[in-house]
Amino acid sequence: MTDVELMKRMLRAVLAANKSGPGVSLSRLQSEYKALTGEQIPHKQMGHASLDTLLHSIPSVVHMERNRTGEMVCFASVSSETAHVAKLVARQRTSKTTGRPQMVNCQMRVKPAAPLILNGRVCVCVCVGGVPTNFKENAVSGKPKPHHYPKDYNPSPGGNYNPQQVQGRIREVLNKYSNGFWVSKLPQLYRELYKQDLPSEAIKDLEHWTHICTVEKPCSSNPNELLLYPAKESTQTQTPSPVPTRVQYPTSTAFTQSMDIKQKLGELLVKYSNGLWAHGLPKLYLDTYKTKLPEHVLENLSLLSDFCTIEYPMPDNPKRAILYKRTREDNHNRRESVEERRAREEVGRRLSTQTVPPLLIPREEYPSVLVGEAANTNGVILRYIGEGYSQAQEALEDKMREFYCCQDNNTRTRDKKSGTPLASLTSGQLAAVRTEEDEEILRAQVTEVMADKVKVYYVDHGFSEVISKAKVFELHEKFFNLPFQATKCQLAGLEPFCQEPAVLKKFESMASGKILLAEILERGQTPLVVLYDTSQDDDVNINAACIKALQDKTLASPLQVNSAYMNVAVRSVCSDGTFYCQLPSRGLAKLTEILEKAEAYFHSQGTSEFLVSRPFCGKGCLARYKGKWSRVEITNLHGSRVLDILFIDLGVQASVEVIELREVPPPFLWDLIAIPPQAVKCCLADLTVSGVGSWTPDAVQWFRDAVLNSTDCSVKIDKLDETKRSVAYVYLFPDKNFQDPARSLNRQMAIKQIYLSLLKSPATRSCSICNYMVQTLSKSVSAAGHNMDIYVSVACHPGHFVVQPWRDMYKLVVLMEEMILYYNKTEEKPLKGEKNQIYAAKVENNWHRVLVKGVLTNGLVSVYELDYGKHELVSGTQLRPLIQEFRLLPFQGITAQLAGVKLRQWSEEASILFRNHVEKKPLVAQLEAVQDAHHPWDRKLTVFLVDTSQEEKDVWVHDIMAEFVDELTKEV
């Protein structure tokens, strides 16, 4: 589904059908949408960089709010596209308004927009008595009621989930991620670890489980995000209070804890004015405050020198130290020592590693990325491109350059510490680094300290460098807010070959240093992705290209000019005259042997455990062809159920369900990867197929009857065309006798004069429309004054546009999916298209129900899409009979004209204005009149169009057009 308005309706069904309470969390929205519709929200194809920006652009469908834990929650907006329980009232804006009275009393129901599955599959219904289920509404405003907890709220175990079980699991998650993580990340971590969705009620209860966790609001670039940490030990041992404790939000976890420790130690030193032995501090601290003193405090007593005096009565034993409370006079006369400065730098190091927030994966499915180095394909370095990522990084580095570089003292007072190189450096330390070219100041982490130099890793760029120690500076705390931009991803399908030199070499040449498109398949700590190079005419799948680097070229089909080959098998014949054949080779023999072993392996082990769970374009796997397992590559996905595949050793394309695919068993994986595809693409020499015309259906069928699936053919290679993906121009013989050119199929095609015949227009004849019964539109459409939800698929001008009734649109989506499965079969007989006949036609990658409007002399056919109202030109070879099963749903495209305006010759400006207001939009149509006709596609409606997406008022389109015409008249 790539249609924006179709997505809106299905999104509404997802929001209305949510059973876990009002609203759906943003982190769960994609999975909920996919569960109901079969595919994810295609925001990238709709021109939005992220799902978040798409949702903000459709306030009439969804509005978003943050709950008490900081998680973004999506609610269904109340408008004409949702519950339709509010009255639509239009106000006259001027005295010149024309048309019917401006009141729409339309109480339409929410339509179950999730696709129904044909043939007994799952059907989702989201309406009960005209009101969406599980959707609380205010009787006055019609808007969702926010969920409020009473002041004495106590999370009850009597809900729809087991709090004790969830608490135990959250404790396990926190033990695994002891440094904390974003609350918005919790549902995904929970799902990955326990294969279940985290109950939404648990998110709301987090702040009350103080014995389990601590919820904090960090001081970061995203103040709306909340962090989750393990509860302090003192709270873990206490019984949770039945009354919720108010959550405190410190600005920085590490800084707050450090200050808290110093404050408590200061209190102890005031109480024990004669001093305290340092080795006795842990027990005294535990007894007084019921929590352990961090071990690093005793190991670095100099950290406490800013508020206490440290004496060592036993110089040979530095662990025997006495601490005294520092007086004000001591503080006034004191100067920072080298040890204290180093201690301060140590504090900076500790703070820096704890306060930098984690990098969040972009919400869009196809973000742009800058690819860096890769020691293996399970850990490819990359940086996300766009707002909040590369743009934020550039802004931060501009500020660092200004902060650290010398400027005019008259215009700016510099921080004295900012330009001072760090005196002591340790591995793992964060710092600001001036690059060797002295042009940039970058954030870096020290990885190795040498005599005069230091090796650093640039945390925002993903590479290392050895530099002088004089170029390393203390990283100011204001540069901790932006997450480190260099991150890692894992390339899907390359897991078993992640360190193969051939794979890494191919990756280096095709991806390193380039901006590519990343398809995110799994959003884990290290996301699973497929990379695409979209800079060329055809998108290049980087993952698939790296896999092909493992192929053994000595096992490829032999292709030598002027050479002849016998025992050739023709496996596929395409409608354009190209065909695929298998030549005898060492690779084909080995492939046959391995596939036979795989057949026996599946027979003994079973195949269910090898089901493909994560399909993606370019993935190699196995599928049945004529009863035997064959190698295939996934070429296209139609949602999560249906996909297109190519049998790479046969040249056969097909559409199948994902359950028909199997993973390659591990014992045969390496051997099958090493064998190049055995299908050779061929054209008949001396017969130019492209550019002049196309094969007639008779020619294609004759050719198929002559050679298809024959294993006794012979070919002689005339030339190779590497520019067309290694196409071989050959002379093809039906048997082993290739000595006589007159016996070639090339010559026979020419003699029969059926090759490249330019299709002639058939003699004009009176053709009756094929005798079938198509259900007519609902009687409610014929009632004048009736209001209906519609979607405008095509808009030429106010006198001609095409609308689709909303109630059956989801059925159309499922119908087209079923047509893909049915018609994308191999070896279908092409047919001659006749004018005024109904067919199924392949337009791009989808099959449509069409009416043939004309047959052209160049082999093309002019068709009218009966469900969308569009006119297209397709090859005559792309027509198929429309079977009875696909005629049951009424044709969805209805021609209409705008009511309330005078019929006229509309100017280009007026037509553009009209299209901008109605095309590809869901609207309310108020029926004015119906022009009936014998055929459904000839009917025409006269309707008022109302845009109800704005909360403050309804917009009547005929008013806009009338005012526009009046303005033009005034100008004239």
Side-chain angles (χ1 to χ4, degrees):
M1 297 181 294
T2 58
D3 190 285
V4 177
E5 304 310 328
L6 185 58
M7 176 278 299
K8 290 181 181 179
R9 297 295 178 170
M10 293 187 175
L11 178 58
R12 177 154 308 286
V14 172
L15 296 173
N18 180 44
K19 293 184 172 63
S20 60
V24 178
S25 66
L26 185 60
S27 61
R28 286 196 301 113
L29 185 59
Q30 281 284 28
S31 60
E32 294 283 344
Y33 186 95
K34 187 172 183 179
L36 285 178
T37 66
E39 54 187 73
Q40 293 187 333
I41 302 173
H43 51 79
K44 191 71 176 181
Q45 295 89 320
M46 297 177 184
H48 294 275
S50 66
L51 177 60
D52 192 35
T53 58
L54 169 63
L55 297 178
H56 278 101
S57 71
I58 49 175
S60 60
V61 176
V62 59
H63 73 275
M64 296 188 289
E65 300 175 2
R66 288 196 180 273
N67 61 17
R68 295 177 303 160
T69 64
E71 186 175 24
M72 190 68 75
V73 180
C74 303
F75 299 90
S77 299
V78 178
S79 68
S80 64
E81 301 171 54
T82 58
H84 293 290
V85 296
K87 294 183 179 181
L88 306 180
V89 180
R91 302 172 178 83
Q92 292 192 8
R93 294 179 292 174
T94 68
S95 59
K96 299 177 182 178
T97 302
T98 60
R100 298 177 59 84
Q102 307 297 297
M103 172 67 75
V104 178
N105 185 9
C106 182
Q107 300 200 1
M108 290 168 283
R109 306 178 186 180
V110 175
K111 304 302 185 296
L116 298 182
I117 307 300
L118 302 181
N119 301 330
R121 296 182 176 90
V122 179
C123 170
V124 178
C125 181
V126 297
C127 291
V128 178
V131 180
T133 61
N134 302 302
F135 195 82
K136 301 180 181 180
E137 291 190 353
N138 186 296
V140 178
S141 65
K143 295 184 178 181
K145 290 182 179 179
H147 188 78
H148 294 290
Y149 288 101
K151 293 182 179 179
D152 58 349
Y153 166 75
N154 178 26
S156 171
N160 294 328
Y161 75 103
N162 186 335
Q164 286 77 19
Q165 181 190 52
V166 174
Q167 290 175 9
R169 289 178 172 180
I170 290 179
R171 182 183 282 113
E172 292 175 359
V173 175
L174 290 170
N175 289 338
K176 184 175 181 180
Y177 300 95
S178 57
N179 290 330
F181 51 85
W182 298 114
V183 169
S184 59
K185 191 74 172 177
L186 179 58
Q188 178 182 337
L189 294 174
Y190 191 94
R191 189 180 305 112
E192 291 174 354
L193 289 174
Y194 303 109
K195 309 305 180 185
Q196 294 179 1
D197 286 334
L198 176 68
S200 58
E201 293 88 348
I203 293 290
K204 303 169 187 175
D205 295 342
L206 283 176
E207 65 180 74
H208 310 304
W209 296 343
T210 54
H211 62 299
I212 300 294
C213 58
T214 300
V215 181
E216 295 185 352
K217 185 176 183 180
C219 178
S220 69
S221 57
N222 189 351
N224 294 319
E225 287 284 3
L226 297 178
L227 286 168
L228 194 65
Y229 292 96
K232 297 178 180 179
E233 292 187 20
S234 59
T235 60
Q236 291 182 14
T237 59
Q238 297 172 359
T239 303
S241 171
V243 180
T245 305
R246 181 176 180 84
V247 179
Q248 302 297 325
Y249 297 110
T251 57
S252 168
T253 303
F255 182 74
T256 302
Q257 292 177 347
S258 177
M259 295 302 296
D260 184 50
I261 292 171
K262 289 183 178 181
Q263 180 181 353
K264 291 177 178 178
L265 289 177
E267 293 172 356
L268 292 177
L269 291 175
V270 170
K271 186 176 180 180
Y272 298 90
S273 57
N274 292 329
L276 281 171
W277 285 100
H279 66 272
L281 269 180
K283 185 176 187 307
L284 180 61
Y285 192 92
L286 178 62
D287 293 340
T288 305
Y289 299 110
K290 309 303 180 185
T291 186
K292 289 183 179 180
L293 180 69
E295 294 180 359
H296 72 270
V297 174
L298 292 182
E299 296 172 358
N300 300 276
L301 291 177
S302 57
L303 294 172
L304 311 178
S305 59
D306 58 338
F307 70 93
C308 70
T309 301
I310 306 171
E311 292 184 359
Y312 296 93
M314 303 177 185
D316 57 336
N317 189 354
K319 294 185 178 181
R320 290 284 181 173
I322 302 177
L323 308 181
Y324 299 93
K325 177 66 177 178
R326 185 181 295 281
T327 64
R328 292 185 178 179
E329 183 178 358
D330 292 334
N331 289 331
H332 179 75
N333 297 328
R334 176 177 171 274
R335 296 183 63 183
E336 184 179 54
S337 67
V338 174
E339 291 78 8
E340 290 169 343
R341 179 162 60 86
R342 290 179 177 176
R344 175 176 53 77
E345 293 172 356
E346 174 66 20
V347 173
R349 287 196 295 272
R350 291 182 181 275
L351 287 176
S352 66
T353 57
Q354 295 182 21
T355 59
V356 177
L359 181 68
L360 302 180
I361 300 174
R363 290 189 172 92
E364 62 262 38
E365 189 175 359
Y366 296 95
S368 295
V369 297
L370 175 59
V371 182
E373 301 174 348
N376 67 73
T377 59
N378 286 340
V380 176
I381 301 294
L382 58 79
R383 294 158 50 197
Y384 296 113
I385 304 298
E387 184 179 359
Y389 295 93
S390 60
Q391 295 178 13
Q393 174 193 336
E394 291 172 4
L396 178 135
E397 290 175 355
D398 288 342
K399 293 177 182 178
M400 290 181 65
R401 189 185 307 111
E402 179 183 357
F403 183 81
Y404 286 97
C405 295
C406 296
Q407 295 187 5
D408 189 347
N409 291 330
N410 295 328
T411 60
R412 178 176 178 272
T413 301
R414 289 186 60 227
D415 188 331
K416 293 181 180 180
K417 299 175 184 176
S418 65
T420 305
L422 287 172
S424 65
L425 295 171
T426 58
S427 180
Q429 179 178 359
L430 291 180
V433 174
R434 191 188 305 275
T435 61
E436 281 297 297
E437 295 78 11
D438 290 338
E439 295 178 355
E440 300 290 341
I441 299 289
L442 305 178
R443 298 190 300 180
Q445 186 174 35
V446 176
T447 58
E448 183 181 354
V449 180
M450 294 164 271
D452 297 325
K453 293 184 178 292
V454 61
K455 186 177 182 179
V456 297
Y457 175 78
Y458 294 109
V459 294
D460 296 312
H461 295 266
F463 68 93
S464 299
E465 186 179 27
V466 177
I467 59 171
S468 168
K469 287 184 177 180
K471 296 179 179 291
V472 182
F473 306 95
E474 180 181 349
L475 184 64
H476 194 277
E477 62 181 7
K478 69 180 181 179
F479 301 124
F480 296 158
N481 292 338
L482 184 69
F484 298 147
Q485 295 299 296
T487 186
K488 291 184 178 181
C489 73
Q490 182 179 0
L491 299 190
L494 289 167
E495 295 87 346
F497 322 107
C498 61
Q499 292 183 308
E500 285 298 307
V503 170
L504 298 178
K505 182 178 179 181
K506 175 64 72 172
F507 178 84
E508 177 73 21
S509 63
M510 297 189 68
S512 292
K514 295 183 179 180
I515 294 180
L516 305 176
L517 206 64
E519 178 185 10
I520 301 178
L521 303 179
E522 293 181 0
R523 295 173 174 269
Q525 185 173 3
T526 302
L528 185 69
V529 305
V530 180
L531 296 177
Y532 296 92
D533 184 348
T534 60
S535 63
Q536 305 177 34
D537 292 338
D538 296 325
D539 294 347
V540 178
N541 187 315
I542 302 297
N543 298 42
C546 290
I547 285 285
K548 292 173 183 176
L550 294 172
Q551 294 175 356
D552 184 351
K553 294 182 179 180
T554 64
L555 299 177
S557 298
L559 293 175
Q560 295 184 5
V561 178
N562 296 325
S563 296
Y565 302 89
M566 295 186 294
N567 299 318
V568 174
V570 178
R571 296 301 186 186
S572 173
V573 176
C574 305
S575 59
D576 62 357
T578 58
F579 60 97
Y580 289 84
C581 62
Q582 291 178 335
L583 277 60
S585 67
R586 199 163 59 91
L588 182 59
K590 186 175 182 179
L591 174 66
T592 303
E593 178 185 354
I594 296 174
L595 290 177
E596 288 176 352
K597 292 180 179 179
E599 288 275 359
Y601 183 87
F602 279 143
H603 183 72
S604 62
Q605 300 289 329
T607 64
S608 58
E609 64 178 288
F610 296 101
L611 286 169
V612 173
S613 60
R614 174 61 71 181
F616 56 88
C617 288
K619 178 179 176 61
C621 43
L622 299 178
R624 285 279 187 181
Y625 181 78
K626 294 186 176 181
K628 294 184 177 181
W629 292 107
S630 300
R631 296 192 300 176
V632 300
E633 180 180 315
I634 298 174
T635 57
N636 190 31
L637 280 77
H638 302 277
S640 61
R641 183 170 70 98
V642 180
L643 41 78
D644 297 337
I645 59 174
L646 172 66
F647 289 89
I648 61 175
D649 301 305
L650 306 170
V652 174
Q653 299 182 18
S655 294
V656 299
E657 294 188 74
V658 68
I659 59 174
E660 299 178 46
L661 302 180
R662 296 294 185 272
E663 298 281 4
V664 177
F668 313 107
L669 180 61
W670 283 84
D671 288 337
L672 288 180
I673 288 294
I675 303 175
Q678 295 299 300
V680 179
K681 187 176 182 179
C682 302
C683 289
L684 295 181
D686 299 333
L687 299 178
T688 306
V689 174
S690 60
V692 178
S694 61
W695 290 79
T696 64
D698 288 341
V700 173
Q701 193 58 46
W702 180 87
F703 191 38
R704 286 176 174 170
D705 292 341
V707 297
L708 189 58
N709 292 324
S710 172
T711 59
D712 202 28
C713 296
S714 301
V715 296
K716 184 176 182 180
I717 299 180
D718 180 59
K719 63 178 180 179
L720 297 175
D721 190 345
E722 296 293 341
T723 62
K724 295 184 178 180
R725 298 180 180 178
S726 300
V727 176
Y729 289 84
V730 303
Y731 293 97
L732 178 64
F733 300 86
D735 50 35
K736 296 181 180 180
N737 186 1
F738 57 87
Q739 304 298 329
D740 185 3
R743 300 189 69 258
S744 68
L745 269 72
N746 309 51
R747 184 69 59 86
Q748 293 181 46
M749 289 281 283
I751 294 175
K752 292 178 177 291
Q753 295 183 351
I754 60 174
Y755 96 101
L756 294 180
S757 298
L758 294 177
L759 295 175
K760 298 181 179 179
S761 299
T764 304
R765 54 186 180 272
S766 175
C767 295
S768 62
I769 302 298
C770 52
N771 55 351
Y772 66 92
M773 296 300 296
V774 178
Q775 298 177 6
T776 58
L777 295 172
S778 172
K779 293 181 180 179
S780 62
V781 177
S782 302
H786 176 77
N787 293 320
M788 55 186 288
D789 285 344
I790 57 95
Y791 174 76
V792 180
S793 58
V794 173
C796 297
H797 51 73
H800 181 85
F801 53 95
V802 178
V803 301
Q804 295 171 310
W806 190 255
R807 66 178 179 272
D808 289 335
M809 187 172 289
Y810 67 98
K811 295 181 182 178
L812 177 60
V813 173
V814 178
L815 172 67
M816 295 182 66
E817 190 177 68
E818 295 292 335
M819 290 175 68
I820 290 172
L821 283 174
Y822 180 82
Y823 288 113
N824 279 9
K825 294 180 179 177
T826 59
E827 302 175 17
E828 283 287 334
K829 278 191 176 183
L831 50 83
K832 291 184 178 179
E834 297 184 7
K835 188 176 181 181
N836 294 332
Q837 296 288 341
I838 304 296
Y839 299 95
K842 190 173 185 179
V843 181
E844 294 181 348
N845 289 324
N846 289 312
W847 286 91
H848 292 262
R849 301 186 295 180
V850 302
L851 173 69
V852 172
K853 305 293 287 186
V855 180
L856 309 183
T857 58
N858 61 355
L860 297 179
V861 179
S862 173
V863 299
Y864 176 75
E865 295 178 0
L866 293 165
D867 295 306
Y868 290 89
K870 298 179 182 178
H871 292 269
E872 300 282 357
L873 282 176
V874 300
S875 170
T877 61
Q878 300 299 316
L879 296 180
R880 298 289 185 273
L882 186 65
I883 64 174
Q884 183 64 29
E885 180 182 355
F886 301 143
R887 298 172 184 250
L888 300 178
L889 181 69
F891 298 135
Q892 297 296 293
I894 310 171
T895 305
Q897 64 182 23
L898 186 64
V901 294
K902 295 180 180 180
L903 296 178
R904 56 171 56 86
Q905 185 71 31
W906 294 95
S907 65
E908 183 178 356
E909 293 82 359
S911 300
I912 293 174
L913 176 68
F914 179 72
R915 280 197 296 272
N916 290 339
H917 277 280
V918 305
E919 192 169 54
K920 307 296 183 186
K921 291 185 178 181
L923 303 170
V924 174
Q926 188 177 84
L927 192 61
E928 173 74 2
V930 178
Q931 299 177 22
D932 216 337
H934 179 66
H935 302 299
W937 50 86
D938 290 330
R939 301 179 73 184
K940 192 168 188 177
L941 308 181
T942 302
V943 297
F944 292 95
L945 294 179
V946 190
D947 185 350
T948 61
S949 62
Q950 301 182 23
E951 294 184 0
E952 61 276 7
K953 63 180 179 180
D954 296 332
V955 178
W956 292 74
V957 177
H958 72 280
D959 285 349
I960 297 175
M961 302 310 301
E963 290 180 3
F964 181 78
V965 172
D966 288 343
E967 291 296 329
L968 289 181
T969 304
K970 289 179 181 180
E971 293 178 3
V972 175

